């Protein structure tokens, strides 16, 4: 059967033969055995409902084996035989181009070049799933191929609930992931209900089909690292020869060495999974692989002396690096961590003095011991960081729940008030006040033709738009504008593309709208093919996360999730092609609510109207909330927007003098 025929077929008419697991693939960690006997029976019953009764007996035995051995039912047998990658939009069978664009984005998320654990449908973060099993993937692709532009596909945590009548103006797809009742939204709950096959962890952009490979976080990481050095270095001094020490080379964290090179420092990034480190090296995202700690120390000392710009992947545990650098008196200027600590007990963080293989066995066979070792390792990790901080290292939490889990392990990471952490979140200290408050965030686009020349053209269009805006921009955002111009100018030179022909650019509402309008005009003129717009959920108004995206909200509302919910609802009726809302993402299940969108530009007047309406709200919703929280930059930004847009009316806060409050208590 052809690719198109397989898509249109959906689940096969006859039971396919079992498939052997491909060799050399980066397998997902084996999940904990968390279900009772009755719950395991329910999990099998839930899985079998996708298939005809005469297949049940054979599949039941197979699914029991998967559940026992892997902790999840992935249904490997039903993985299609065709290669999964982002084809040209014209390659997909579809009645509406919007559906074809979504199919392209789904396949990009599952491309082995892009995905962390593609066989388990996991894109990044150790558990960021596009679907729970292969039956869901096959059914979803069939639904998308047959839907009209007056239907909407509703996705319940990877499960395609079905096509429902709607309208041309409605989203083609509405996605939810992990949206549990609050009292059943703890990490142990996630393990249980995911194993039952009724929910999944969509991360931020995996389960919303908007992941574009490590590039998706490179720009934000570059901004963060550059400004971290700006905070600590004397004016005029550059990062050359200065160290940025961190860990993690998976899907999102794999961006760190590339960002370090762009920021022009020495990046040392530890990774316990040799396959992940080698994959990033093969893709050109890290310069050098080192496995011996003594070799690493010698190399770094030389690089410091010669003021090199280089990125190093150390295949080993980062705790060892922090401790040995302390003993050798190697000064670390900037430090962080980007392991997947939102899932500390299932492979998101690996304990020191334990090999990767030993740890994976322990996760399944002795989870209690594994948890003890992780907690002990976190305490050692924090202790080593504290020693460096006393020497002057600027350490920031990278929003991966490192400080949160370290505090829960009893590590010395709390401030004197016993409430806050002694180290800031990168959003709290850098991205929040410098970018999000002013409306700058990770806008992204994908050229659906798959043609690199289209990407070159869009880069040039974006550059020209930014240069035009910068000429009249207020001084408050001149640095942000120039950083973005520098970024897009060098984007192709930095070889950021993995998978689809995609780009990311930190832009504000004005920049996003004007760039999108220029794209739509170029499409209408036949200069480029259709373009998908989107963003990371990690943005101005997409995410409510008290220890990351909204960590610089100080009015008490950072523990609420109104902004993210309004964002998704508001985008849905203002023109988004698809919308998504997730529980979890980056910092863990129950710790964050995050939402996103996708929008297809096809060169039509309708697309122009949609982008003007939706992109404006998508950004200014968040600026308004940040302004109401009394954030100075956001207050400036929303007042400026109201002057430019008479139809916008936002409630502004009246500031209270501290002296009045001091008299009261």
């Amino acid at each position: 059967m052809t690719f198109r025929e397989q898509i249109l077929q959906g689940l096969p008419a006859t039971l396919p033969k079992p498939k052997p697991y491909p060799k050399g693939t980066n397998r997902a960690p084996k999940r904990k055995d968390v279900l009772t006997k009755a719950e395991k029976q329910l999990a099998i019953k839930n899985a079998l409902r996708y298939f005809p009764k005469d297949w049940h007996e054979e599949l039941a035995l197979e699914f029991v084996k998967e559940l026992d051995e892997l902790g999840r039912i992935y249904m490997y047998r039903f993985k299609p035989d065709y290669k999964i990658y982002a084809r040209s939009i014209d390659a997909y069978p579809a009645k509406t181009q919007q559906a074809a664009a979504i199919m392209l984005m789904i396949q990009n998320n599952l491309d082995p070049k892009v995905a962390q654990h593609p066989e388990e449908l996991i894109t990044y973060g150790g558990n960021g799933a596009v679907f729970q099993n292969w039956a869901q993937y096959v059914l979803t692709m069939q639904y998308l191929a047959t839907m009209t532009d007056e239907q909407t596909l509703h996705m319940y945590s990877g499960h395609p609930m079905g096509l429902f009548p709607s309208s041309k103006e409605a989203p083609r797809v509405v996605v939810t992931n992990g949206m549990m009742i609050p009292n059943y939204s703890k990490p142990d709950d996630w393990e249980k209900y995911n194993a039952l096959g009724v929910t999944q962890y969509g991360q931020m952009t995996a389960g919303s089909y908007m992941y574009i490979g490590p590039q998706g976080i490179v720009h934000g990481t570059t901004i963060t690292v550059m400004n971290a050095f700006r905070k600590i270095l004397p004016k005029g001094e550059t990062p050359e020869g200065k160290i940025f020490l961190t860990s993690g080379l998976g899907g999102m964290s794999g961006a760190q060495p590339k960002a370090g090179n762009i920021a022009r420092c020495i990046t040392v990034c530890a990774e316990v999974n040799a396959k992940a480190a080698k994959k990033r090296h093969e893709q050109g995202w890290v310069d050098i692989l080192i496995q011996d700690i003594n070799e690493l120390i010698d190399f770094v000392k030389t690089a410091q002396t010669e003021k090199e710009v280089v990125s190093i992947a150390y295949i080993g545990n980062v705790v060892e690096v922090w401790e040995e650098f302390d003993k050798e008196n190697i000064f670390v200027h900037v430090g962080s961590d980007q392991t997947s600590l939102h899932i500390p007990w299932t492979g998101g963080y690996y304990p020191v003095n334990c090999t990767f293989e030993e740890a994976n066995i322990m996760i399944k066979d002795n989870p209690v011991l594994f948890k003890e070792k992780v907690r002990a390792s976190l305490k050692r990790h924090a202790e080593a960081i504290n020693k460096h901080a006393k020497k002057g290292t600027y350490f920031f939490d990278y929003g991966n729940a490192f400080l949160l889990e370290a505090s829960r392990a009893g590590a010395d990471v709390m401030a004197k008030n016993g409430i806050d952490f002694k180290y800031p979140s990168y959003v709290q200290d850098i991205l929040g006040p410098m970018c999000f408050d002013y409306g700058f965030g990770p806008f992204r686009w994908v050229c659906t033709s798959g043609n690199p020349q289209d990407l070159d053209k869009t880069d040039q269009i974006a550059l020209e738009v930014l240069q035009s805006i910068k000429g009249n921009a207020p001084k408050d955002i001149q640095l942000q504008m120039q950083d973005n111009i520098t970024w897009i100018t060098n984007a192709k030179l930095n070889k950021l593309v993995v998978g689809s022909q995609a780009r990311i650019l930190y832009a504000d509402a004005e920049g996003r709208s004007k760039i999108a309008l220029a794209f739509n005009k170029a499409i209408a003129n036949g200069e480029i093919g259709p373009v998908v717009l989107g963003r990371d959920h990690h943005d101005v108004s997409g995410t409510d996360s008290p220890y990351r995206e909204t960590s610089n909200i100080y009015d008490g509302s950072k523990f609420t999730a109104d902004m993210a919910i309004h964002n998704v609802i508001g985008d849905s009726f203002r023109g988004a092609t698809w919308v998504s809302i997730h529980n979890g993402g980056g910092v863990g299940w129950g710790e964050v609510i995050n939402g996103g969108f996708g929008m297809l530009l096809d060169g039509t007047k309708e697309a122009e109207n949609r982008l003007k309406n939706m992109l404006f709200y998508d950004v200014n919703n968040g600026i308004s909330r940040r302004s109401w929280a009394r954030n100075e930059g956001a207050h400036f930004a929303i007042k400026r927007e109201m002057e430019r847009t008479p139809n916008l009316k936002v409630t502004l806060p009246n500031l209270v003098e501290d002296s009045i409050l001091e008299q009261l208590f």
Side-chain angles (χ1 to χ4, degrees):
M1 296 175 70
T2 66
F3 168 70
R4 285 173 169 261
E5 288 171 340
Q6 287 187 71
I7 293 286
L8 289 166
Q9 172 190 239
L11 289 172
T14 58
L15 182 61
K17 294 180 180 179
K19 283 185 171 68
Y21 196 93
K23 295 180 180 179
T25 302
N26 189 18
R27 302 195 71 160
K30 295 177 181 178
R31 310 301 181 183
K32 293 188 295 184
D33 185 357
V34 295
L35 301 182
T36 65
K37 179 181 177 181
E39 288 168 342
K40 288 180 179 179
Q41 290 175 339
L42 180 58
I44 302 301
K45 188 177 181 180
N46 288 343
L48 291 174
R49 59 185 160 178
Y50 286 102
F51 309 104
K53 284 187 176 181
D54 55 353
W55 296 3
H56 286 185
E57 190 170 355
E58 181 175 345
L59 289 179
L61 294 173
E62 185 173 313
F63 293 165
V64 165
K65 185 177 180 182
E66 285 189 6
L67 190 60
D68 287 344
E69 293 182 357
L70 305 173
R72 298 289 185 273
I73 300 172
Y74 296 114
M75 306 182 187
Y76 291 127
R77 180 195 292 246
F78 293 94
K79 182 186 176 184
D81 294 326
Y82 55 75
K83 289 185 178 180
I84 296 179
Y85 64 96
R87 294 162 167 79
S88 167
I89 193 170
D90 297 329
Y92 295 93
K95 294 180 179 179
T96 167
Q97 199 173 50
Q98 290 184 331
I102 298 168
M103 296 163 81
L104 181 159
M105 297 299 290
I106 287 173
Q107 289 206 311
N108 188 64
N109 271 29
L110 294 172
D111 181 345
K113 292 180 181 178
V114 175
Q116 184 182 19
H117 305 302
E119 298 300 319
E120 291 80 18
L121 303 115
I122 290 171
T123 302
Y124 68 92
N127 63 347
V130 187
F131 300 97
Q132 295 181 64
N133 57 61
W134 285 103
Q136 291 178 346
Y137 165 83
V138 170
L139 283 171
T140 298
M141 295 295 279
Q142 183 189 40
Y143 274 131
L144 290 168
T146 57
M147 77 186 306
T148 71
D149 59 6
E150 293 188 341
Q151 289 175 304
T152 295
L153 175 61
H154 289 261
M155 301 293 301
Y156 281 41
S157 283
H159 170 67
M161 188 58 72
L163 294 172
F164 292 81
S166 57
S167 69
K168 291 182 180 180
E169 292 73 32
R172 295 283 68 80
V173 178
V174 175
V175 178
T176 57
N177 281 298
M179 299 303 293
M180 299 293 292
I181 303 300
N183 280 347
Y184 303 90
S185 184
K186 306 291 190 301
D188 285 346
D189 295 323
W190 181 81
E191 293 290 338
K192 175 180 176 179
Y193 294 108
N194 186 220
L196 284 173
V198 296
T199 195
Q200 71 174 11
Y201 192 90
Q203 268 286 355
M204 303 193 95
T205 53
S208 61
Y209 325 140
M210 192 45 70
Y211 187 67
I212 59 170
Q215 179 188 177
I217 197 174
V218 171
H219 192 6
T221 304
T222 301
I223 291 171
T224 301
V225 174
M226 283 195 310
N227 284 293
F229 279 110
R230 284 169 178 164
K231 287 179 77 69
I232 63 170
L233 295 180
K235 192 172 183 179
E237 194 170 334
T238 63
E240 279 95 338
K242 298 173 179 66
I243 294 174
F244 168 44
L245 173 57
T246 184
S247 59
L249 282 170
M252 298 296 275
S253 55
Q256 294 180 108
K258 174 72 79 172
N261 281 1
I262 298 170
R264 301 195 61 76
C265 62
I266 300 169
T267 304
V268 179
C269 192
E271 170 59 62
V272 295
N273 184 347
K275 286 183 179 178
K278 290 173 182 176
K279 180 178 180 179
R280 293 295 170 229
H281 183 250
E282 289 165 2
Q283 292 175 334
W285 288 74
V286 64
D287 299 326
I288 293 170
L289 291 173
I290 295 178
Q291 281 188 275
D292 181 79
I293 190 68
N294 294 315
E295 183 184 347
L296 175 67
I297 289 167
D298 291 341
F299 187 95
V300 167
K301 285 181 176 179
T302 301
Q304 280 187 307
T305 301
E306 298 182 2
K307 294 189 174 181
E308 289 187 44
V309 174
V310 64
S311 56
I312 307 153
Y314 172 67
I315 302 176
N317 199 292
V318 72
V319 177
E320 182 183 16
V321 181
W322 281 107
E323 291 176 342
E324 292 302 314
F325 277 21
D326 175 53
K327 292 176 185 175
E328 293 291 327
N329 207 28
I330 295 175
F331 183 68
V332 177
H333 292 79
V334 175
S336 191
D337 182 86
Q338 209 174 47
T339 51
S340 297
L341 266 161
H342 62 282
I343 47 168
W345 322 127
T346 55
Y349 181 92
Y350 285 81
V352 70
N353 296 337
C354 183
T355 69
F356 180 66
E357 293 73 20
E358 289 169 347
N360 281 332
I361 292 171
M362 200 185 310
I363 289 170
K364 185 176 185 297
D365 294 345
N366 198 341
V368 174
L369 178 60
F370 182 79
K371 186 178 288 191
E372 290 175 2
K373 286 186 173 292
V374 165
R375 285 175 171 157
S377 191
L378 281 167
K379 291 175 76 171
R380 275 181 62 178
H381 196 160
E383 183 181 356
I385 289 167
N386 290 341
K387 289 179 180 178
H388 283 269
K390 288 178 181 177
K391 299 176 184 178
T393 296
Y394 173 71
F395 183 86
F396 62 88
D397 185 284
Y398 218 145
N400 64 331
F402 171 73
L403 292 179
L404 183 63
E405 289 301 331
S407 68
R408 289 169 176 170
D412 179 17
V413 295
M414 302 306 297
K416 291 181 179 179
N417 63 13
I419 299 171
D420 301 315
F421 297 123
K422 65 167 65 176
Y423 302 109
S425 154
Y426 74 115
V427 175
Q428 186 177 3
D429 230 21
I430 298 171
L431 281 190
M434 288 195 63
C435 294
F436 291 170
D437 284 355
Y438 290 98
F440 288 88
F443 180 56
R444 56 180 60 170
W445 63 89
V446 175
C447 296
T448 66
S449 66
N451 187 342
Q453 292 179 348
D454 278 11
L455 186 59
D456 292 345
K457 178 68 175 176
T458 58
D459 283 350
Q460 185 60 36
I461 289 171
L463 174 60
E464 291 170 1
V465 169
L466 291 180
Q467 288 173 330
S468 175
I469 294 173
K470 184 176 183 292
N472 298 312
K475 61 179 178 59
D476 306 68
I477 60 171
Q478 283 290 325
L479 177 63
Q480 292 90 326
M481 293 299 303
Q482 185 55 55
D483 280 349
N484 289 321
I485 288 170
T486 301
W487 166 266
I488 200 68
T489 301
N490 297 320
K492 185 175 181 179
L493 297 175
N494 289 321
K495 298 179 181 179
L496 300 164
V497 172
V498 176
S500 60
Q501 295 296 314
R503 185 67 74 224
I504 187 169
L505 174 69
Y506 265 57
D508 62 2
E510 181 184 10
R512 298 182 204 202
S513 292
K514 288 183 175 178
I515 289 169
L517 281 168
F519 287 172
N520 202 53
K521 184 178 179 181
I523 296 164
N525 293 339
E527 299 171 40
I528 57 175
V531 171
V532 168
L533 301 181
R535 57 163 171 74
D536 196 341
H537 295 201
H538 170 64
D539 195 13
V540 180
S541 68
T543 298
D544 282 300
S545 180
Y547 297 108
R548 197 162 82 172
E549 283 77 6
T550 44
S551 59
N552 71 317
I553 299 290
Y554 299 108
D555 68 348
S557 70
K558 69 179 182 179
F559 296 101
T560 67
D562 298 88
M563 181 177 71
I565 300 298
H566 275 275
N567 182 260
V568 170
I569 295 173
D571 285 359
S572 71
F573 63 78
R574 285 182 171 88
T577 304
W578 74 97
V579 291
S580 56
I581 188 77
H582 303 178
N583 174 2
V587 296
W589 220 44
E591 302 285 354
V592 52
I593 299 295
N594 67 88
F597 77 89
M599 173 182 280
L600 178 68
L601 299 183
D602 58 9
T604 62
K605 184 66 177 178
E606 291 77 11
E608 180 181 322
N609 292 336
R610 288 195 298 268
L611 75 88
K612 286 179 180 177
N613 206 9
M614 200 221 75
L615 292 178
F616 180 88
Y617 173 76
D618 188 67
V619 175
N620 283 293
N621 167 50
I623 298 176
S624 301
R625 183 269 180 96
R626 292 168 183 276
S627 169
W628 186 241
R630 295 183 289 270
N631 289 22
E632 186 176 346
H635 196 64
F636 163 84
I638 204 64
K639 286 176 68 177
R640 176 172 174 250
E641 192 60 75
M642 283 194 285
E643 290 171 2
R644 293 190 304 179
T645 312
N647 204 26
L648 176 67
K649 308 292 182 185
V650 171
T651 308
L652 297 176
N654 293 297
L655 305 183
V656 181
E657 294 292 337
D658 288 342
S659 59
I660 294 176
L661 303 177
E662 290 167 359
Q663 297 174 27
L664 300 176
F665 302 100

